[in-house]
Amino acid sequence: MPRQPHAALPTQSNTRRVKQPRRQPSNPPTSENDEPAWFARAMERALRPILDNLNELERGQVRIWRNSAIVYNGTCSTGDNASFVVVPFADSTDPTEQPHHLPPLKSCQAVYDLNSCQRDAYCRGYGLARRNRNVEQCTKFILTAIGSIAI
């Protein structure tokens, strides 16, 4: 007896999908393209420790960068051939970039060549109190702050 194909098996062409009713989510999205309102809060709570760790690592990296620059500058000569690296301010910003735009202190002569506004900005950035400072004190403070031994 020859074998007959099973006509009762469903195929793509002869099956009809029954549409299931959509269940309403317990926390519907706030708009059609947003995630549910709870999602952002949950993600913030979940990611907060990671972001805190990253921020602490970044602060540590800036401290290392700052200390390395100071130590390196201390190994440089004191004459015109000195080639210092830029030392970040106490708040970890680069004095040569925004918002400061100060000239880079690549040598002792660069410190001596600062005008009064630039000298004051460097003193503030490196943490010298404003009261009772004269040009000589400020210059010595900047040289010490960047690690120069030419004081």
Side-chain angles (χ1 to χ4, degrees), residues 18-149:
V18 177
K19 200 169 191 181
Q20 297 290 330
R22 291 184 84 181
R23 291 191 305 163
Q24 293 296 324
S26 58
N27 287 330
T30 54
S31 74
E32 63 187 61
N33 293 330
D34 287 340
E35 66 273 350
W38 59 266
F39 186 76
R41 290 188 305 271
M43 288 302 293
E44 172 66 25
R45 277 192 307 271
L47 293 177
R48 177 59 33 212
I50 296 169
L51 293 174
D52 289 344
N53 287 342
L54 287 175
N55 288 335
E56 183 60 33
L57 285 172
E58 186 176 308
R59 285 190 296 274
Q61 186 178 25
V62 170
R63 283 190 302 270
I64 291 169
W65 172 38
R66 184 170 159 51
N67 291 335
S68 298
I70 291 168
V71 169
Y72 174 81
N73 290 345
T75 66
C76 293
S77 65
T78 58
D80 292 336
N81 294 335
S83 182
F84 296 153
V85 293
V86 174
V87 176
F89 280 153
D91 67 356
S92 77
T93 58
D94 188 329
T96 64
E97 295 179 0
Q98 280 191 343
H100 311 291
H101 292 295
L102 295 169
L105 302 180
K106 296 286 190 171
S107 67
C108 294
Q109 190 59 48
V111 177
Y112 297 128
D113 291 342
L114 293 173
N115 65 35
S116 62
C117 290
Q118 293 166 338
R119 192 171 26 260
D120 285 346
Y122 267 109
C123 283
R124 276 193 312 275
Y126 289 132
L128 180 63
R130 184 143 182 95
R131 62 187 133 94
N132 299 331
R133 70 171 179 228
N134 59 32
V135 173
E136 186 179 328
Q137 285 176 320
C138 194
T139 301
K140 284 182 179 179
F141 177 78
I142 292 171
L143 287 169
T144 303
I146 65 172
S148 173
I149 56 172

Side-chain angles (χ1 to χ4, degrees), residues 5-10 14:
H6 295 286
L9 290 176
N14 71 0

